[in-house]
Amino acid sequence: MSGSVLWLASPVHTKSLAIPSSRWGRRSNCRISSVSVSATLVATAGPRSYESYEEMVYEVVLKQAALTRKERTNRGVLDESVPLSWDLLSDAYERCGEVCAEYAKTFYLGTLLMTPERRKAIWAIYVWCRRTDELVDGPNASYITPTALERWEKRLDDLFNGRPYDMYDAALSDTISKFPVDIQPFKDMIEGMRLDLKKSRYQNFDELYLYCYYVAGTVGLMTVPVMGIAPDSKASTESVYNAALALGIASQLTNILRDVGEDARRGRIYLPLDELAQAGLTEDDIFAGKVTDKWRNFMKGQIKRTRMFYEEAERGIFELNPQSRWPVMASSLLYRQILDSIEANDYDNFTKRAYVSKPKKLLSLPVAYAQATLGIKSS
């Protein structure tokens, strides 16, 4: 179960986005290599040893923050746009916007408050994340192999080097030429897709944290350079990136807690096994799907931790460019309400799917807008 677009919006797999080859660029053969769980991060962070995966992820956060700091003090020095005609790029961004509007209506409305350049860039990132997510979660997921992901990563490299394969790639390629967006979070997200192909158990929260970073936390790191940090913000760049990461982690943990029963029916458990054991629960209890006092107590602890990540994330939302705050605040508020729904269902996430009703979503939008514009923290 992935969830790479959670920082941007809740993914709803209704139909797939095609990933065709086309006149936008050329394909080339890619070499297949084996990749360990943390290989991508190790390549970024260097040979030093780490006490936890969280510490490794923080190294990536520092790198992304450094890029944004450099851009804020050296505006106007980014590379020129992808050398494509204005009409082609305009069509590419327009199509990205249509995809975002179709699959993430609430978030799309929020992006309309952004400057045209920012919202187009966010649409382009959203589409890439969604297409990546669908490689392992979409209708053709059963046909996806490690080789396919290697090819997708090679395509990403080409895209970052100004060689897009199709119109969606062209929009993202243009975006990264205008904003200090780094390739590392994109590569790490692909690593998360690899994990979904080969790993269905997580021994402890540190392992689960790394997975959540790969498939959701990365999106926050991708988008902060586009959403922008408020010019009058007194917060450190690192703290804003940490908040973006925290929202991705929180959203993915919410996704996991919502989908326990669905994942179990697929033979997957995205819960820390050591914490299950401490609560007196086993894998067999998950597959049996019975709500017991032990399960309720376990879930209370999981929900409490997830809400702590949301609290950390919210502090960073107020440091974003004012025009970018509403869509992020709305996504955070709506996903937090899924936790409320799990509680309302008496922690039965085996047979009941927690969700936020459409009327409640609509009522939440002005609340999120007020919070984002007036700096009101969630209760």
Side-chain angles (χ1 to χ4, degrees):
M1 176 190 64
S2 59
S4 56
V5 292
L6 289 173
W7 158 267
L8 298 174
S10 170
V12 180
H13 299 299
T14 53
K15 61 181 180 179
S16 63
L17 298 174
I19 307 176
S21 59
S22 74
R23 59 188 172 81
W24 291 84
R26 60 179 178 82
R27 291 187 181 276
S28 60
N29 295 328
C30 62
R31 180 172 59 85
I32 304 171
S33 62
S34 60
V35 183
S36 66
V37 171
S38 57
T40 309
L41 284 174
V42 169
T44 304
R48 59 165 290 191
S49 60
Y50 296 91
E51 293 184 358
S52 68
Y53 287 130
E54 185 174 357
E55 188 179 349
M56 290 172 60
V57 171
Y58 185 61
E59 288 289 313
V60 181
V61 169
L62 291 177
K63 178 184 176 184
Q64 305 310 304
L67 288 171
T68 296
R69 275 200 307 273
K70 182 178 179 181
E71 189 272 339
R72 293 178 77 188
T73 56
N74 298 283
R75 295 189 185 278
V77 300
L78 296 179
D79 295 336
E80 295 181 356
S81 300
V82 175
L84 298 171
S85 75
W86 186 90
D87 287 340
L88 288 176
L89 275 177
S90 179
D91 289 346
Y93 279 119
E94 182 178 351
R95 179 55 187 146
C96 287
E98 291 171 356
V99 172
C100 187
E102 179 178 358
Y103 292 99
K105 295 179 178 62
T106 300
F107 182 80
Y108 173 79
L109 290 175
T111 63
L112 298 181
L113 294 179
M114 298 179 181
T115 63
E117 189 173 66
R118 279 199 176 105
R119 68 169 170 259
K120 290 190 299 183
I122 291 296
W123 294 343
I125 293 172
Y126 172 86
V127 169
W128 187 88
C129 290
R130 183 171 186 86
R131 296 172 88 184
T132 303
D133 185 62
E134 287 200 343
L135 291 174
V136 298
D137 251 8
N140 297 316
S142 60
Y143 302 103
I144 295 299
T145 65
T147 302
L149 291 177
E150 291 290 338
R151 289 172 179 161
W152 186 245
E153 186 167 4
K154 174 60 171 63
R155 176 171 172 158
L156 175 69
D157 288 329
D158 286 344
L159 184 160
F160 265 78
N161 287 313
R163 298 190 296 273
Y165 284 46
D166 62 15
M167 66 189 308
Y168 298 119
D169 285 356
L172 182 56
S173 193
D174 184 62
T175 290
I176 62 179
S177 73
K178 294 176 178 176
F179 295 93
V181 178
D182 186 49
I183 196 172
Q184 191 60 50
F186 294 82
K187 284 182 172 288
D188 286 344
M189 179 176 285
I190 295 173
E191 184 67 14
M193 304 305 114
R194 290 191 179 100
L195 275 184
D196 265 329
L197 292 183
K198 64 189 178 182
K199 190 175 178 68
S200 61
R201 301 290 189 279
Y202 293 83
Q203 296 301 317
N204 51 50
F205 184 72
D206 193 42
E207 286 190 8
L208 187 62
Y209 179 92
L210 180 64
Y211 172 74
C212 291
Y213 160 71
Y214 278 148
V215 302
T218 49
V219 187
L221 305 190
M222 296 173 193
T223 53
V224 167
V226 175
M227 292 188 172
I229 299 174
D232 59 348
S233 173
K234 300 297 190 295
S236 68
T237 307
E238 289 89 347
S239 70
V240 178
Y241 271 90
N242 267 329
L245 171 63
L247 183 53
I249 300 294
S251 301
Q252 186 61 21
L253 289 174
T254 302
N255 209 29
I256 287 168
L257 298 179
R258 180 195 63 194
D259 296 340
V260 169
E262 178 183 332
D263 290 329
R265 288 187 285 276
R266 299 166 59 192
R268 294 178 171 273
I269 298 177
Y270 291 91
L271 298 167
L273 296 184
D274 62 343
E275 294 179 20
L276 278 173
Q278 290 166 13
L281 297 164
T282 66
E283 292 187 22
D284 289 339
D285 291 316
I286 303 299
F287 294 126
K290 290 187 63 176
V291 178
T292 63
D293 287 341
K294 288 181 179 180
W295 177 251
R296 292 185 184 94
N297 289 332
F298 172 78
M299 282 299 302
K300 288 176 183 177
Q302 300 299 306
I303 289 174
K304 180 179 180 180
R305 176 167 54 203
T306 303
R307 284 183 172 138
M308 290 174 62
F309 278 104
Y310 280 118
E311 290 167 7
E312 180 182 350
E314 190 174 280
R315 290 192 289 270
I317 295 175
F318 296 121
E319 305 301 332
L320 294 175
N321 184 287
Q323 294 175 319
S324 302
R325 292 173 191 168
W326 184 35
V328 183
M329 183 64 77
S331 296
S332 175
L333 182 60
L334 291 173
Y335 247 75
R336 288 179 78 146
Q337 291 175 4
I338 293 175
L339 298 177
D340 299 336
S341 182
I342 294 173
E343 291 171 332
N345 288 340
D346 192 28
Y347 305 100
D348 183 2
N349 42 9
F350 297 114
T351 63
K352 297 179 181 179
R353 182 177 174 85
Y355 69 97
V356 181
S357 66
K358 189 172 183 179
K360 195 168 185 179
K361 285 182 179 179
L362 293 175
L363 289 173
S364 297
L365 293 181
V367 174
Y369 184 78
Q371 288 179 312
T373 56
L374 302 177
I376 303 172
K377 294 185 178 181
S378 300
S379 57

